[in-house]
């Protein structure tokens, strides 16, 4: 079962209260962490430069998103301090005129821990890039013994990570991120790495960056393993790791199937096409499933690159595999679908290999291939892929395309999915001043919808497009340069 993940991310930098000072990086830190968490399947509740009321409201909202058996994570970057042994996370309007004022205008860490402890999440994570240098000690005539944050008890199933050890202060950093968050961003992407190991690597990086002056700290009572980034190799048991990460697949030049794979890998059409033609149904029935999976991957990559025989193989998959045993067709199609989304290391691609995406997913309508599409859907869910609709589930997606009339056609100005405009300028070099014409290319309606399906990662046959205002079949569509549809 795939765990549901929820996160509360707070970054406070623009402090306005008495005895507080502005910080350089917390909003940047929170933004960068939120982007990573979203990538790894977390639903987000976010606050930037939040007031005390906004922080309390966000905590309540976040509480409602935590799912039983799931993961709940809280990240805070900003001022934090201990008062009488209890830790408080400062809002931008926290009144730090005195300890009592600060207590009642900032968020108690104990309250955050209590929310997590009362939830039915299996894994609770708190990350505190707090206790930055601040003037509280001098203003309140405090002793050095009360600097930074205090050590706290981590309830069962919880890990609490501090930017520095209890009673010490953390560096805000001179770059766009704080020292601690910057180190976390360096290590969070490493696939299949337990969270404890991630924080150990963060500790080494922070110690090196601060010449040993800042030592990070964790309290943990986690009962099981948690990974931010999971590659397919960590949970797919149907195929070996050397097939899922086919950079590990060792070719044996003496095997015909491996010769075909080598030919498909050549990126030379004059080599790829004859290699593809050697894969007959009779021969495929003699090939091991692991090798058929890798063959499927390389058939797709060659077709994506424009090789005619692999293209024809995918477009006429039913005919080309006629005579193959069903149990041999399955790994071949699994590999074709897998190659669209996963790279040679078994990690999700930043952008899919989409040139034959809709052609491959045309096979979803045939009941005999159901297992392959269930395989890719579950693999994408397990890898925390971020999609409007999970490919392989057969779900329709409706998109509303807004256009405006121009002399040469209708210019696309918006693409709405689930009530949100996901069409935006991705390359600032194509920005134009207000009133200037927008540079765009003319495409047919069919070509536009093909490209839109690829960007939305939805098979064209499952994408329902409506135009506002309605288009005439002969209307050319003007697709602005430098614009595109964002990922979910």
């Amino acid at each position: 079962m795939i765990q549901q993940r929820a996160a509360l991310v707070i970054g406070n930098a623009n402090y306005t209260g008495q005895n507080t000072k502005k910080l350089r990086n917390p909003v940047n830190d929170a933004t960068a962490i939120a982007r990573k968490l979203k990538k790894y399947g977390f639903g987000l509740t976010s606050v930037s430069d939040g007031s005390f009321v906004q922080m309390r409201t966000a905590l309540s909202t976040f509480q409602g998103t935590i799912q039983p058996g799931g993961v709940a994570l809280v990240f805070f970057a900003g001022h934090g301090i201990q008062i009488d042994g209890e830790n408080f996370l400062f809002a931008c309007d926290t009144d730090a005129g005195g300890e009592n004022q600060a207590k009642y205008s900032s968020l108690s860490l104990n309250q955050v821990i209590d929310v997590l402890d009362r939830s039915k999440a299996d894994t609770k994570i708190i990350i505190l890039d707090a206790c930055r240098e601040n003037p509280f000690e001098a203003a309140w005539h405090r002793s050095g013994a009360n600097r930074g944050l205090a050590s706290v008890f981590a309830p069962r199933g919880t890990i609490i990570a501090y930017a520095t050890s209890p009673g010490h202060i953390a560096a805000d950093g001179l770059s766009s991120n704080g020292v601690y968050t910057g180190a976390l961003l360096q290590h969070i992407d490493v696939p299949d790495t337990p969270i404890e190991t991630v924080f150990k690597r963060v500790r080494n990086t922070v110690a090196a960056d601060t010449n040993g002056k800042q030592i990070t700290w964790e309290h943990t009572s986690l009962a099981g393993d948690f990974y931010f980034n999971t590659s397919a190799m960590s949970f797919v048991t149907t195929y070996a790791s050397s097939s899922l990460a086919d950079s590990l697949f060792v070719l044996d030049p003496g095997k015909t199937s491996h010769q075909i794979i080598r030919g498909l890998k050549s990126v030379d059409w004059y080599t790829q096409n004859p290699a593809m033609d050697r894969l007959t149904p009779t021969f495929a029935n003699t090939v091991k499933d692991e090798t058929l999976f890798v063959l499927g991957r390389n058939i797709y990559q060659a077709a994506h690159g424009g090789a005619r025989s692999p293209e024809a193989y995918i477009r006429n998959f039913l005919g080309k595999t006629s005579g193959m045993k069903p149990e041999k067709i399955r790994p071949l199609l699994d590999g074709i679908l897998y190659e669209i989304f996963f790279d040679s290391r078994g990690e999700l691609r930043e952008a899919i290999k989409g040139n034959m995406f809709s052609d491959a997913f045309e096979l979803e309508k045939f009941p005999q291939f159901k297992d392959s599409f269930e395989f890719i859907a579950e693999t994408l869910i397990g890898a925390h892929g971020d999609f409007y609709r999970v490919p392989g589930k057969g779900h329709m997606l409706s998109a509303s395309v807004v256009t405006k009339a121009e002399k040469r056609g209708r210019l696309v100005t918006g693409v709405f999915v689930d009530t949100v405009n996901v069409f935006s300028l991705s390359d600032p070099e194509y920005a134009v001043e207000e009133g200037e014409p927008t540079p765009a290319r003319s495409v047919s309606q069919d070509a536009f919808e093909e490209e839109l399906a690829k960007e939305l990662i939805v098979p064209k046959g499952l994408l329902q497009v409506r135009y506002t205002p309605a288009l005439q079949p002969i209307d050319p569509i003007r697709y602005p340069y430098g614009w595109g549809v964002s990922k979910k």
Side-chain angles (χ1 to χ4, degrees):
M1 184 182 73
I2 305 302
Q3 286 185 313
Q4 297 296 313
R5 298 177 166 196
L8 170 61
V9 178
I10 302 173
N12 289 340
N14 189 28
Y15 283 92
T16 60
Q18 185 177 350
N19 288 337
T20 57
K21 69 175 182 179
K22 297 183 191 317
L23 295 170
R24 181 196 304 266
N25 294 317
V27 171
N28 294 338
D29 292 339
T31 300
I33 289 294
R35 190 179 301 118
K36 291 291 186 185
L37 295 178
K38 187 173 185 291
K39 176 181 176 182
Y40 296 130
F42 282 84
L44 294 175
T45 303
S46 298
V47 177
S48 292
D49 285 332
S51 66
F52 175 48
V53 171
Q54 288 172 326
M55 288 174 64
R56 282 179 42 182
T57 301
L59 180 62
S60 177
T61 301
F62 163 68
Q63 185 175 14
T65 67
I66 301 173
Q67 298 295 314
V71 180
L73 181 149
V74 175
F75 174 89
F76 175 82
H79 282 310
I81 198 167
Q82 59 168 298
I83 302 173
D84 298 330
E86 184 177 352
N87 296 315
F88 293 88
L89 311 178
F90 276 24
C92 282
D93 61 354
T94 291
D95 180 358
E99 296 191 359
N100 283 336
Q101 295 95 313
K103 277 185 180 182
Y104 296 109
S105 57
S106 58
L107 190 64
S108 164
L109 179 59
N110 286 349
Q111 184 181 357
V112 174
I113 294 172
D114 186 60
V115 164
L116 296 184
D117 193 31
R118 290 175 180 271
S119 77
K120 295 183 179 180
D122 282 349
T123 302
K124 301 114 175 178
I125 304 163
I126 300 174
I127 303 173
L128 302 170
D129 193 353
C131 39
R132 312 290 179 102
E133 280 196 75
N134 57 60
F136 307 140
E137 185 178 323
W140 297 352
H141 307 290
R142 307 186 65 184
S143 69
N146 291 323
R147 301 170 78 197
L149 296 179
S151 176
V152 296
F153 169 73
R156 186 180 185 278
T158 304
I159 183 168
I160 304 175
Y162 297 87
T164 191
S165 49
H168 292 76
I169 56 176
D172 192 30
L174 299 176
S175 64
S176 60
N177 293 113
V179 172
Y180 180 67
T181 297
L184 180 56
L185 291 169
Q186 288 181 43
H187 297 291
I188 196 172
D189 287 326
V190 180
D192 307 325
T193 306
I195 190 171
E196 295 91 343
T197 302
V198 171
F199 284 126
K200 286 176 183 176
R201 293 174 179 175
V202 169
R203 181 157 36 256
N204 284 336
T205 299
V206 170
D209 288 347
T210 62
N211 198 26
K213 294 178 181 178
Q214 183 175 330
I215 305 299
T216 67
W217 192 270
E218 297 88 45
H219 288 295
T220 181
S221 63
L222 290 180
D225 291 332
F226 172 78
Y227 307 85
F228 285 105
N229 181 15
T230 51
S231 70
M233 292 182 292
S234 68
F235 59 87
V236 176
T237 59
T238 312
Y239 302 104
S241 58
S242 59
S243 300
L244 297 168
D246 65 344
S247 60
L248 305 175
F249 191 83
V250 179
L251 292 173
D252 182 344
K255 292 184 176 181
T256 302
S257 58
H258 288 220
Q259 293 169 11
I260 296 173
I261 291 171
R262 185 184 296 277
L264 292 169
K265 284 182 178 293
S266 69
V267 302
D268 177 354
W269 293 347
Y270 293 103
T271 302
Q272 291 172 321
N273 290 330
M276 183 73 261
D277 295 338
R278 296 178 68 185
L279 184 63
T280 65
T282 301
F283 173 68
N285 285 333
T286 69
V287 179
K288 293 180 179 180
D289 290 359
E290 295 289 348
T291 305
L292 284 169
F293 183 85
V294 177
L295 265 167
R297 295 195 65 172
N298 284 277
I299 290 169
Y300 186 85
Q301 69 86 15
H304 174 79
R308 295 293 178 84
S309 289
E311 283 182 347
Y313 195 92
I314 292 174
R315 290 195 174 112
N316 188 26
F317 190 79
L318 272 175
K320 295 290 186 180
T321 57
S322 178
M324 279 182 64
K325 299 174 182 177
E327 63 269 23
K328 293 298 181 180
I329 296 175
R330 163 76 192 273
L332 190 68
L333 182 53
D334 284 358
I336 287 171
L337 299 175
Y338 185 87
E339 180 68 16
I340 297 171
F341 302 99
F342 292 89
D343 65 19
S344 62
R345 299 167 297 176
E347 298 179 32
L348 270 175
R349 301 182 186 279
E350 285 295 323
I352 68 167
K353 279 187 173 180
N355 288 351
M356 295 289 292
F357 170 55
S358 289
D359 295 278
F361 271 80
E362 274 292 300
L363 298 170
E364 193 172 3
K365 63 188 178 186
F366 297 104
Q368 62 265 44
F369 301 138
K370 177 183 176 183
D371 288 346
S372 286
F373 287 95
E374 287 183 350
F375 161 77
I376 196 60
E378 292 306 312
T379 304
L380 292 170
I381 293 170
H384 301 291
D386 195 16
F387 305 100
Y388 293 101
R389 302 290 185 271
V390 177
K393 289 291 189 181
H395 296 154
M396 295 287 299
L397 179 69
S398 178
S400 295
V401 178
V402 181
T403 65
K404 71 175 183 179
E406 289 190 330
K407 289 181 180 180
R408 298 172 61 185
R410 301 202 66 89
L411 180 72
V412 177
T413 59
V415 177
F416 285 79
V417 176
D418 298 333
T419 73
V420 176
N421 186 6
V422 299
F423 194 62
S424 61
L425 181 66
S426 55
D427 187 343
E429 289 193 34
Y430 286 99
V432 297
E433 297 292 334
E434 187 175 351
E436 291 185 3
T438 301
R441 67 188 191 278
S442 294
V443 295
S444 68
Q445 185 173 329
D446 188 65
F448 168 72
E449 292 180 10
E450 183 75 43
E451 189 166 346
L452 184 61
K454 191 189 306 182
E455 292 185 0
L456 290 170
I457 316 181
V458 177
K460 188 179 177 185
L462 295 175
L463 178 63
Q464 190 176 62
V465 182
R466 296 183 175 87
Y467 294 91
T468 304
L471 289 184
Q472 297 301 317
I474 61 171
D475 284 342
I477 292 178
R478 300 279 291 160
Y479 201 116
Y481 289 110
W483 286 69
V485 173
S486 62
K487 292 180 70 175
K488 185 173 182 294

